[in-house]
Amino acid sequence: MASVWVGTRGTIRDSPGFNASRDAEAIRKAIRGIGTDEKTLIDILTTRSNAQRQLIAKEYKAVAGKDLKDALKGDLSGNLERVIVALVMPPAVFDAKQLKKSMKGTGTDEKALIEILASRSSKQMKEVGQAYYTVYKKSLGDDISSDTSGDFRKALLTLADSRRDESQRVDEQLAKKDAQILYNAGEKRWGTDEDKFIEVLCFSSFPQLKLTFDEYRNLGGKKIEDSLKSELSGHFEDLLLAIVKCATNTPAFFAERLHRSLKGAGTDEFTLNRILVSRSEIDLLDIRAEYKKLYGRSLYSDIKSDTSGDYEATLLRICGGDD
């Protein structure tokens, strides 16, 4: 059975001739004693699929008597530690931890919340919700509720509830009807009916939404993005625009986020790590292609000029090649 976290356009795949106990032993040697053999850690963990890394972690615990994650945390530091630890987590647990982090303490990292909730499928969100509860003994919905408000909260909760239709079939009549609903809820009236936007954008499948947006354009001669920008504001607007982007072209959505995390002064390592790790087995090849198309440079070369040392080496291995 294919995992809901594996696509056909990833840069990391199952490693042929894989042997979990051999890898676990090599990692144990790399961590043991004075100094760490980072090269071995990077070589192994960036060339095995997540499913294989879970088997390595299991073997490691059996021989070393402690969690691989904790061993790595104790031995590495900074950005390298964060990206390597991310690699050994199951995808749903990694997302759950990223969501928790975006809501912890004062202030909320709305961008991370939006990125994860707008782009994950219902199946994935179900797993993330379960992982969140297992790790934190609290429901994701409760934390979102106490951390956000208004229409933004309502839309996030709908997405966290995994209610988006997953079917790939599209219905032209429904697209026409939904386009009219969106038009009536925004452009056609004084004030905006936000609930209708949530209803269409948070429940319909991505292929269906794509068709709805085409119909919307035929109806009012305006792109849905332009209407959202003139009708809505704040984080609610950001979230719905992210959904439109993901439904239209998910890899381009991530390419733009990566570009933002790399450009300007300082690097946003949290976003960089999250996208590279979470998309490495799904569509990172497509994200690289979109990046090149949008910015005329390769993602690989931008990572190279923005990071250094073992951290750079790890990210470049995940990135998988220079376009």
Side-chain angles (χ1 to χ4, degrees):
M1 163 186 141
S3 154
V4 299
W5 301 89
V6 177
T8 54
R9 303 288 297 152
T11 52
I12 296 179
R13 301 220 154 91
D14 278 339
S15 171
F18 168 69
N19 180 321
S21 55
R22 195 175 57 216
D23 283 348
E25 188 46 48
I27 286 175
R28 199 163 77 98
K29 279 203 185 102
I31 295 176
R32 229 178 29 203
I34 302 163
T36 306
D37 172 5
E38 284 91 354
K39 187 181 178 317
T40 297
L41 292 179
I42 295 167
D43 280 350
I44 293 174
L45 295 172
T46 59
T47 55
R48 310 292 187 264
S49 67
N50 191 281
Q52 291 176 331
R53 298 193 289 263
Q54 298 315 313
L55 296 173
I56 295 170
K58 213 167 155 182
E59 285 292 329
Y60 183 90
K61 184 154 190 177
V63 293
K66 72 185 283 192
D67 279 343
L68 175 56
K69 189 169 97 258
D70 298 334
L72 292 166
K73 274 185 172 165
D75 230 55
L76 304 168
S77 62
N79 290 318
L80 178 65
E81 175 210 325
R82 281 189 280 270
V83 72
I84 292 285
V85 168
L87 286 168
V88 300
M89 282 185 215
V93 174
F94 180 54
D95 268 2
K97 289 197 173 258
Q98 293 284 305
L99 287 167
K100 182 70 171 177
K101 205 166 107 219
S102 70
M103 295 186 281
K104 222 168 56 187
T106 46
T108 306
D109 177 0
E110 286 88 5
K111 285 194 179 74
L113 267 185
I114 288 170
E115 177 201 301
I116 294 172
L117 285 155
S119 64
R120 304 303 190 252
S121 69
S122 285
K123 269 205 192 79
Q124 287 170 334
M125 277 319 300
K126 239 187 207 89
E127 282 191 21
V128 173
Q130 285 158 352
Y132 197 93
Y133 192 78
T134 305
V135 177
Y136 301 110
K137 303 290 172 268
K138 267 188 94 170
S139 86
L140 173 59
D142 287 349
D143 278 352
I144 289 173
S145 276
S146 58
D147 229 63
T148 55
S149 60
D151 294 313
F152 181 50
R153 173 203 283 165
K154 206 185 276 182
L156 287 175
L157 288 173
T158 307
L159 295 169
D161 213 17
S162 348
R163 285 154 73 185
R164 185 179 295 292
D165 175 26
E166 297 276 271
S167 93
Q168 296 300 299
R169 281 192 318 275
V170 293
D171 177 338
E172 210 167 313
Q173 283 321 108
L174 181 64
K176 284 189 162 69
K177 195 178 116 205
D178 283 347
Q180 190 67 57
I181 288 172
L182 291 173
Y183 188 70
N184 294 348
E187 290 293 334
K188 209 177 160 191
R189 52 173 286 167
W190 181 252
T192 310
D193 183 350
E194 285 84 0
D195 283 352
K196 290 282 188 277
F197 280 97
I198 294 174
E199 224 167 88
V200 175
L201 293 176
C202 298
F203 284 96
S204 305
S205 72
F206 281 175
Q208 183 66 34
L209 282 177
K210 226 174 154 170
L211 194 58
T212 301
F213 301 152
D214 290 342
E215 291 296 342
Y216 186 89
R217 202 172 177 166
N218 296 341
L219 195 69
K222 216 174 168 182
K223 279 163 70 175
I224 184 77
E225 294 95 308
D226 296 333
S227 293
L228 292 174
K229 282 175 192 162
S230 62
E231 293 289 325
L232 310 172
S233 63
H235 300 308
F236 182 52
E237 178 196 336
D238 296 338
L239 174 60
L240 295 196
L241 285 171
I243 292 171
V244 170
K245 190 41 108 349
C246 286
T248 314
N249 185 340
T250 304
F253 169 74
F254 284 114
E256 283 176 28
R257 306 254 329 156
L258 282 168
H259 186 249
R260 249 178 262 149
S261 75
L262 287 163
K263 74 169 202 227
T267 307
D268 173 1
E269 287 90 358
F270 291 108
T271 300
L272 192 55
N273 293 350
R274 183 175 56 247
I275 296 176
L276 287 175
V277 171
S278 65
R279 307 312 288 188
S280 61
E281 290 179 56
I282 300 174
D283 55 1
L284 192 47
L285 290 170
D286 295 331
I287 293 168
R288 272 171 35 188
E290 290 293 339
Y291 194 96
K292 183 82 191 251
K293 208 158 85 189
L294 287 163
Y295 306 109
R297 292 188 310 279
S298 72
L299 175 60
Y300 191 93
S301 63
D302 278 0
I303 291 171
K304 209 170 161 54
S305 63
D306 232 55
T307 55
S308 61
D310 292 321
Y311 177 55
E312 175 199 332
T314 308
L315 293 183
L316 293 178
R317 293 289 285 274
I318 298 170
C319 181
D322 197 354
D323 297 306

